[in-house]
Amino acid sequence: MTRWVALIGLGAVAWRGWPGTSLETHMTGIESCPNTWLSVACDVSEKARADFSEHFAGVPVVRDPKVAAMQADIVTICTPPDTHADVLEDILPVDGVRAVICEKPLAPTVKEAARMVSMCKEAGKVLIVVHQRRYETAHRALQRFVDGGSIGRVMVAKAWFPGDYMNNGVHAADLCRFIVGDNVPWSIERRLNSFGISVAGENGHVSLESYGHLKPGYMAAIYQDAVGCMMDNGRTPACSGEDGVNAVRHAIYAEEAGCIQATA
């Protein structure tokens, strides 16, 4: 069964992409997932709407998120982080919306991120946050490798990232939680042009570097996860709203603690 998607916010992560990287966009995921189809696109910017229409002439483009949501089962929020909660508040009353996919960070503050989770729970909507390494095959394989005891009992983990804490630091924090959970010490630090994770156990260690290059298919997996959660009421997505809140919390804590290293 096809699920209709409304794409709100028409910047790089929505469809344009980033030159020089193999990172996927939401359009990649929507078009690659066998169960989803883009029904409508939305942006407050007239230029953004016009640019999108030049490339996807058959897709209706509107300005109002609520109007877009009325034509969708799944709503994807790709607007700036400080607008996520407002967009969510606009689209949640629409009965037909069953799931929301929201770009990271879920919100600029823990309080606002937690409020978004509460809003979705009260409305009975699935909320997925786009921390894509949870869906990417190499990182999923790493999680199984570590969880399966291949390096013995896990002692500590560290992830590193480029850029700022609320852009990529949230990814690093979520990756640590995904790979080793909440009961193992882990830390994140900022580095130049590098993203990766290292996990040390009693019997060895393992590392994975993934700056700018992830194995294809993770965006389609995000949309398939949304479809699966809609079909199986009560199923928790691979990256839930609570995971998004925790990523924001830990990234803010790390930055406030002064864990700001910029090493080559």
Side-chain angles (χ1 to χ4, degrees):
M1 180 178 180
T2 299
R3 302 292 182 174
W4 300 97
V5 181
L7 185 59
I8 300 177
L10 301 176
V13 72
W15 70 277
R16 289 182 180 278
W18 303 265
T21 78
S22 61
L23 298 178
E24 298 179 335
T25 66
H26 282 273
M27 279 302 298
T28 309
I30 295 165
E31 293 179 332
S32 301
C33 177
N35 301 111
T36 55
W37 190 268
L38 184 66
S39 58
V40 61
C42 173
D43 202 290
V44 296
S45 164
E46 183 177 354
K47 184 180 187 307
R49 296 195 302 272
D51 288 348
F52 185 85
S53 292
E54 282 186 15
H55 289 81
F56 304 96
V59 179
V61 183
V62 301
R63 189 182 192 281
D64 188 338
K66 191 168 186 177
V67 172
M70 290 176 180
Q71 304 173 54
D73 305 297
I74 301 169
V75 173
T76 298
I77 301 175
C78 296
T79 58
D82 60 356
T83 68
H84 288 175
D86 290 339
V87 173
L88 185 67
E89 206 158 16
D90 282 344
I91 62 97
L92 281 183
V94 178
D95 289 339
V97 174
R98 300 277 307 283
V100 177
I101 296 173
C102 186
E103 265 298 328
K104 57 76 193 170
L106 182 57
T109 67
V110 174
K111 183 178 180 180
E112 191 161 89
R115 185 170 73 90
M116 292 175 68
V117 172
S118 295
M119 285 194 294
C120 286
K121 285 185 176 179
E122 290 173 8
K125 317 287 190 185
V126 175
L127 176 59
I128 293 175
V129 184
V130 183
H131 289 296
Q132 63 265 35
R133 285 169 177 81
R134 286 182 180 252
Y135 295 89
E136 194 260 352
T137 54
H139 289 87
R140 293 182 71 84
L142 175 62
Q143 193 276 335
R144 292 192 298 269
F145 182 81
V146 171
D147 194 53
S150 297
I151 57 173
R153 183 167 67 91
V154 177
M155 307 299 291
V156 67
K158 174 183 281 189
W160 52 92
F161 62 95
D164 63 61
Y165 277 77
M166 292 306 286
N167 185 30
N168 284 327
V170 287
H171 276 319
D174 183 72
L175 181 58
C176 284
R177 293 188 65 247
F178 174 57
I179 300 297
V180 303
D182 291 316
N183 297 318
V184 172
W186 56 264
S187 62
I188 62 174
E189 68 177 27
R190 193 168 66 185
R191 297 184 185 178
L192 297 178
N193 301 323
S194 182
F195 194 114
I197 186 169
S198 178
V199 184
E202 290 180 319
N203 301 329
H205 72 275
V206 60
S207 298
L208 178 61
E209 173 76 31
S210 59
Y211 178 64
H213 298 283
L214 299 173
K215 292 188 176 180
Y218 56 89
M219 290 303 287
I222 291 172
Y223 282 87
Q224 193 59 49
D225 191 22
V227 172
C229 289
M230 290 164 61
M231 295 176 66
D232 182 5
N233 287 332
R235 191 182 103 181
T236 301
C239 193
S240 67
E242 288 83 357
D243 292 319
V245 174
N246 276 306
V248 171
R249 176 182 292 112
H250 288 299
I252 290 173
Y253 284 172
E255 185 168 23
E256 289 178 347
C259 304
I260 306 177
Q261 301 182 32
T263 56

